[in-house]
Amino acid sequence: MVRLCHRTPHIFDLLILISVGTLIIYLALPFRFASHYPYIKEDRIEDSLIAQVTANVSLQQSFDCIYQDIIKNNRFVYDNPLYHEGILRGEEIRPGGEYQPEQCRAKYSTAIIVPYRQREKQLHAFLTYMHNYLRQQLIHYRIFLVEQSDQKPFNRATLFNIGAKIAAEYGFPCLVLHDVDLFPLNSGQMYACLEKPRHMCSALDHWRFHLPYRGLFGGVVAINTFQFQLINGMSNLYHGWGGEDDDLYERLRAMGISICRLAPEYSEYTMLKHKPEHPNENRRALLQAATLRQQTDGLNSLVYKEVDRRMHSLFTHIMVET
């Protein structure tokens, strides 16, 4: 009995160590993520894209651009130094960061909307890489940088709403809501809209290239302008970090709109390191009432002051106070 009493604490400690070790392994390994999810297969991607362009797309070319090879020859391009060192030579990028191919007629027009504040180095890297990347896709696109100039907590969703509203004024039928610190790694990730809203960065290096949960709908998403307007855009109440992406997902679900993704080998992105934003302490309470506010909180309640709008050589700069 004496020996047993001396042994029991050691056995108990050993069991605790085993339990803690198992938990650490579980948290570290990728199988805990939603690594398997439905996706559109390669041979269906082009058929799923919606061919829509703005009114100013040139009609001088006698034939449409061909996208089959771009999708089929999907490859890792982030390690190519030419994508990072400067704007590649080729067709001229128009003022405002607008581009369309000259050798053929683009079938897709896309507005890239980037919310922004005080990330100069990341912005320079983003503009260089993305212009080199997007021009290889033979699409018509324009980069809209929406900068919050006031000192209020960063309101990413409101900046997306502002960018979507202005992009619609330019006639863009497709919106890509894009964080400035995320770069696509694979050449076949087409920056065009599908029939369903698309979560584009489902294989992010920050999450070890695995999807954390099926309802994640943030970072980089593509949605056609009509659908974004139909759901009343995004909520304007998320001041600070977190919650607005899940709110967007709930808005889509409430309207019976499901999302889609491409295969992981098309959806790999890298996230640049950055200082995190201050979290929104009210994000959980706001999310619980997301669909209740949907008809009154969004594009139709958007209030902001446009301080300036300039056509830079690589982007359309919209400076606002929220």
Side-chain angles (χ1 to χ4, degrees):
M1 293 293 296
V2 175
R3 291 181 180 177
L4 183 60
C5 290
H6 282 296
R7 278 183 169 182
T8 302
H10 296 291
I11 294 173
F12 183 71
D13 291 342
L14 180 61
L15 291 174
I16 292 177
L17 288 174
I18 293 173
S19 299
V20 172
T22 302
L23 178 61
I24 292 173
I25 293 173
Y26 172 77
L27 293 174
L29 290 178
F31 58 64
R32 73 185 183 93
F33 294 91
S35 56
H36 302 287
Y37 54 84
Y39 58 80
I40 298 172
K41 296 182 178 180
E42 175 192 316
D43 59 353
R44 295 293 302 164
I45 293 176
E46 187 173 8
D47 291 338
S48 301
L49 297 172
I50 302 176
Q52 290 180 304
V53 294
T54 60
N56 68 332
V57 169
S58 176
L59 298 177
Q60 295 177 357
Q61 297 86 354
S62 59
F63 59 91
D64 292 333
C65 299
I66 298 175
Y67 300 92
Q68 182 178 2
D69 289 342
I70 297 173
I71 297 170
K72 183 179 179 180
N73 299 329
N74 181 50
R75 66 191 189 282
F76 185 84
V77 294
Y78 192 73
D79 60 350
N80 188 337
L82 292 177
Y83 279 65
H84 302 270
E85 294 175 355
I87 301 299
L88 295 174
R89 293 182 178 181
E91 293 86 351
E92 182 179 359
I93 298 172
R94 300 174 182 177
E98 184 176 15
Y99 169 83
Q100 59 177 293
E102 295 180 355
Q103 68 270 35
C104 57
R105 184 170 54 245
K107 293 174 62 177
Y108 314 107
S109 288
T110 303
I112 316 296
I113 302 174
V114 184
Y116 175 78
R117 184 166 68 181
Q118 297 176 348
R119 292 193 184 179
E120 290 81 5
K121 290 184 178 180
Q122 289 188 357
L123 176 60
H124 175 75
F126 177 87
L127 292 170
T128 301
Y129 183 83
M130 289 307 298
H131 275 297
N132 288 334
Y133 178 92
L134 291 170
R135 285 188 296 164
Q136 311 305 310
Q137 295 201 337
L138 301 180
I139 66 171
H140 167 230
Y141 69 87
R142 187 182 190 120
I143 296 179
F144 294 86
L145 186 81
V146 188
E147 179 176 2
Q148 183 175 335
S149 62
D150 57 58
Q151 297 305 311
K152 299 176 185 178
F154 192 63
N155 194 321
R156 176 172 171 268
T158 291
L159 299 183
F160 276 138
N161 281 341
I162 296 170
K165 178 178 179 292
I166 293 174
E169 294 173 0
Y170 283 82
F172 279 92
C174 175
L175 311 172
V176 171
L177 312 181
H178 208 305
D179 286 345
V180 73
D181 56 3
L182 296 181
F183 293 5
L185 304 182
N186 316 106
S187 62
Q189 174 64 289
M190 292 297 300
Y191 272 64
C193 283
L194 283 68
E195 293 182 0
K196 296 180 179 180
R198 175 163 50 112
H199 183 222
M200 298 177 67
C201 58
S202 55
L204 182 61
D205 62 354
H206 182 71
W207 297 109
R208 301 184 67 194
F209 297 102
H210 289 78
L211 184 66
Y213 56 97
R214 293 283 183 92
L216 180 62
F217 195 63
V220 185
V221 302
I223 180 171
N224 71 61
T225 302
F226 173 77
Q227 288 174 330
F228 194 76
Q229 294 171 342
L230 182 66
I231 65 171
N232 199 21
M234 300 179 70
S235 169
N236 297 307
L237 301 182
Y238 288 85
H239 303 279
W241 178 86
E244 70 277 3
D245 292 331
D246 293 326
D247 189 295
L248 174 60
Y249 180 72
E250 292 301 323
R251 288 175 176 235
L252 290 166
R253 287 185 60 190
M255 298 298 293
I257 302 173
S258 58
I259 67 171
C260 67
R261 297 182 172 93
L262 302 187
E265 59 266 25
Y266 284 85
S267 308
E268 293 178 336
Y269 278 72
T270 186
M271 175 186 288
L272 302 183
K273 294 182 179 179
H274 62 276
K275 182 179 179 180
E277 296 285 343
H278 294 292
N280 181 353
E281 297 179 356
N282 298 320
R283 62 187 184 276
R284 291 183 178 85
L286 287 170
L287 187 57
Q288 289 179 352
T291 57
L292 297 178
R293 302 187 323 273
Q294 183 165 350
Q295 301 304 319
T296 56
D297 169 27
L299 290 173
N300 62 3
S301 64
L302 187 59
V303 177
Y304 68 98
K305 177 182 178 182
E306 185 172 327
V307 178
D308 194 17
R309 187 186 301 192
R310 297 185 181 182
M311 302 299 129
H312 288 269
S313 59
L314 298 180
F315 60 98
T316 299
H317 188 193
I318 303 153
M319 188 173 293
V320 300
E321 293 179 357
T322 60

